[in-house]
């Protein structure tokens, strides 16, 4: 189309007549098109038209709106350019040229994608609720089974029978840990995981983590070290339960995949970013670069042999990263095959500018 504003003349191409299903001898002007615009889109259409004539708005427009053609609603895209002149130092619009496209198929396709996305989100929520419910329903009897295994262990003296009970107990604990991971992941996906950020003593938190994880390192005769890079705030605002969960998962993995050498946890304070950073460093088997990203996907491991040799559901790292991101941080990984791995966890800990800094020492 070509709209001569100075003489209020409008010229349409034959294609535009065809799109709007009008005879080519039909008189046309801006009012004619405005009358065809869907009532719900007329305000935005007029706003775009007026802005296109405003010298301060750049003279370009690209607008989508609906038109009524008989009983049909069609989506139209209007792309145009405005020409201005400056008589007597006053810039004014004199001409608008542009093109109109029928983009109905594109809009229908976009709408179908939105519907598919909505359906997928509903299905995903249903899957999460199902997993959460099933995990809960299975966990309850599993806890009872483990409890009775403990009671039987106290009542049975036969060494062979006690070994059988120990096998039942060990595998039951493994199954329970998988159920707990599925339950946590389902809650995170559904946005229903309970969190409690409160003042926490890092020294007490790390002492607790070390006491829990040390027997596993001792069992494999690995050197377990907790180090501090500089002073730390005496207290920080964190969810101690979730931080403990992250650290125990990463340290447990490090011990699992390290046959000799050491596992080290380094803690540092990043005051400029209001963060606490933990680094879990091991001298284990390492990971190929091309599979690192896959490790943070649910039910993923480096390869099938990892599942056979070391066990695990492949949910731990997914949960760690999602938990960290819930608290304004992230989990990153650097690794090389045969040279170990370094997991770096960053977590927001609030403003610590008024908090006492201490030289931490674990009991």
């Amino acid at each position: 189309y070509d709209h001569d504003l100075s003489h209020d003349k409008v010229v349409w191409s034959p294609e535009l007549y065809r799109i709007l299903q009008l005879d080519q001898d039909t008189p046309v002007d801006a009012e004619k098109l405005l009358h065809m615009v869907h009532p719900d889109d007329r305000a935005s259409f007029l706003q775009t038209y007026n802005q296109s004539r405003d010298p301060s708005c750049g003279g370009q427009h690209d607008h989508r709106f609906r038109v009524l053609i008989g009983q049909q609603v069609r989506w139209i895209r209007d792309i145009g350019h405005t020409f201005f002149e400056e008589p007597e130092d006053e810039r004014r619009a004199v001409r608008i040229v542009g093109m109109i496209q029928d983009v109905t198929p594109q809009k229908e396709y976009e709408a179908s994608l939105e519907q598919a996305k909505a359906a997928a989100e509903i299905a995903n929520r249903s899957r999460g609720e199902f997993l959460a419910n099933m995990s809960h329903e299975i966990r309850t009897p599993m806890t009872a089974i483990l409890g009775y295994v403990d009671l039987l262990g106290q009542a049975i003296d036969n060494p062979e029978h006690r070994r059988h009970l120990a096998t039942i107990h060990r595998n039951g604990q493994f199954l329970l840990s998988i159920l707990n991971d599925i339950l946590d992941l389902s809650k995170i996906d559904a946005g229903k995981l309970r969190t409690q950020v409160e003042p926490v003593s890092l020294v007490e938190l790390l002492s607790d983590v070390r006491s829990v994880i040390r027997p596993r390192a001792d069992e494999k005769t690995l050197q377990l070290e907790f180090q501090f890079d500089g002073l730390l705030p005496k207290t920080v605002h964190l969810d101690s339960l979730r931080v403990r969960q992250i650290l125990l998962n990463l340290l447990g993995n490090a011990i699992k995949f390290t046959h000799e050498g050491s596992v080290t946890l380094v803690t540092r304070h990043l005051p400029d970013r209001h963060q606490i950073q933990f680094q879990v460093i091991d001298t284990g088997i390492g990971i190929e670069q091309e599979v690192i990203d896959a490790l943070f996907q649910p039910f993923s491991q480096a390869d099938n042999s990892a599942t056979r040799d070391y066990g695990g559901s492949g949910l731990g790292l997914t949960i760690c990263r999602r938990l960290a991101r819930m608290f304004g941080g992230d989990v990153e990984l650097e690794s090389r095959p045969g040279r170990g791995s370094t997991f770096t966890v960053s977590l927001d800990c609030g403003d610590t500018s008024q908090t006492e800094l201490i030289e931490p020492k674990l009991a």
Side-chain angles (χ1 to χ4, degrees):
Y1 64 85
D2 187 338
H3 188 181
D4 183 346
L5 299 173
S6 299
H7 302 90
D8 196 23
K9 288 182 60 177
V10 181
V11 177
W12 285 3
S13 69
E15 180 66 11
L16 182 48
Y17 280 100
R18 187 195 67 77
I19 289 175
L20 299 178
Q21 298 182 17
L22 296 173
D23 294 333
Q24 291 195 30
D25 56 358
T26 303
V28 294
D29 52 28
E31 288 295 323
K32 178 69 176 177
L33 183 57
L34 178 62
H35 181 72
M36 299 182 70
V37 174
H38 192 285
D40 293 344
D41 293 347
R42 285 177 186 169
S44 62
F45 175 84
L46 285 173
Q47 181 181 13
T48 300
Y49 178 69
N50 291 331
Q51 286 178 346
S52 69
R53 301 172 64 178
D54 186 344
S56 66
C57 291
Q60 306 283 344
H61 70 266
D62 186 346
H63 182 54
R64 288 174 172 81
F65 55 93
R66 290 165 293 178
V67 295
L68 297 172
I69 302 177
Q71 300 299 316
Q72 275 192 323
V73 176
R74 308 292 294 180
W75 277 95
I76 298 298
R77 183 184 184 188
D78 177 11
I79 307 171
H81 179 80
T82 305
F83 295 89
F84 299 89
E85 65 177 20
E86 301 182 10
E88 300 177 358
D89 297 327
E90 181 182 355
R91 196 163 184 247
R92 62 184 180 88
V94 294
R95 186 181 180 191
I96 304 176
V97 296
M99 66 175 183
I100 284 180
Q101 297 173 305
D102 184 343
V103 293
T104 305
Q106 177 185 345
K107 294 296 292 187
E108 290 175 344
Y109 177 67
E110 292 172 355
S112 69
L113 288 180
E114 286 297 323
Q115 292 175 355
K117 179 182 177 183
E121 289 174 348
I122 292 173
N124 190 51
R125 285 196 298 271
S126 298
R127 175 190 62 83
E129 291 172 0
F130 171 77
L131 286 174
N133 290 333
M134 287 301 298
S135 299
H136 180 73
E137 292 298 324
I138 297 173
R139 187 171 63 168
T140 301
M142 180 55 64
T143 303
I145 290 169
L146 291 174
Y148 277 103
V149 167
D150 288 336
L151 290 175
L152 283 172
Q154 297 173 15
I156 293 176
D157 296 327
N158 186 298
E160 184 177 358
H161 293 170
R162 291 178 67 88
R163 284 197 298 272
H164 294 332
L165 286 174
T167 300
I168 294 173
H169 192 276
R170 183 171 59 254
N171 285 279
Q173 287 286 6
F174 176 66
L175 178 57
L176 191 60
S177 69
I178 294 176
L179 292 172
N180 287 333
D181 284 347
I182 293 174
L183 189 58
D184 280 346
L185 188 61
S186 301
K187 287 181 178 179
I188 293 172
D189 286 342
K192 296 181 178 179
L193 187 72
R194 293 181 180 179
T195 60
Q196 184 174 359
V197 176
E198 57 187 357
V200 174
S201 166
L202 279 174
V203 170
E204 292 180 6
L205 173 65
L206 293 173
S207 294
D208 181 41
V209 169
R210 187 177 66 173
S211 66
V212 173
I213 205 70
R214 183 187 291 278
R216 297 172 63 178
D218 291 344
E219 186 178 341
K220 297 186 67 174
T221 63
L222 297 175
Q223 184 177 355
L224 178 66
E225 296 183 7
F226 278 54
Q227 300 178 358
F228 302 97
D229 185 3
L231 301 177
L232 294 181
K234 187 174 182 180
T235 60
V236 291
H237 283 79
L238 294 170
D239 185 325
S240 60
L241 176 64
R242 300 305 170 187
V243 175
R244 184 176 182 272
Q245 182 178 358
I246 292 171
L247 294 181
L248 286 176
N249 192 297
L250 294 180
L251 287 167
N253 278 349
I255 292 170
K256 180 193 298 186
F257 293 104
T258 302
H259 301 305
E260 58 182 6
S262 64
V263 172
T264 304
L265 174 64
V266 180
T267 304
R268 62 175 60 89
H269 180 216
L270 306 176
D272 294 342
R273 293 160 55 181
H274 303 299
Q275 287 187 332
I276 290 294
Q277 186 180 86
F278 304 97
Q279 282 190 312
V280 177
I281 307 167
D282 66 58
T283 58
I285 61 175
I287 304 165
E288 296 283 353
Q289 184 65 36
E290 57 267 23
V291 300
I292 284 179
D293 289 338
L295 289 179
F296 291 96
Q297 301 300 317
F299 305 105
S300 294
Q301 294 187 332
D303 53 44
N304 291 331
S305 64
T307 304
R308 292 192 301 270
D309 296 341
Y310 299 98
S313 62
L315 289 175
L317 292 181
T318 303
I319 293 171
C320 287
R321 171 167 279 182
R322 294 191 186 181
L323 285 174
R325 289 179 175 178
M326 283 176 62
F327 297 109
D330 206 350
V331 177
E332 298 174 343
L333 168 60
E334 295 181 7
S335 184
R336 293 182 64 183
R339 298 195 177 184
S341 303
T342 299
F343 285 87
T344 302
V345 183
S346 302
L347 301 172
D348 284 355
C349 62
D351 185 4
T352 56
S353 58
Q354 304 300 317
T355 306
E356 178 186 356
L357 298 178
I358 62 171
E359 184 174 347
K361 293 180 180 179
L362 299 186

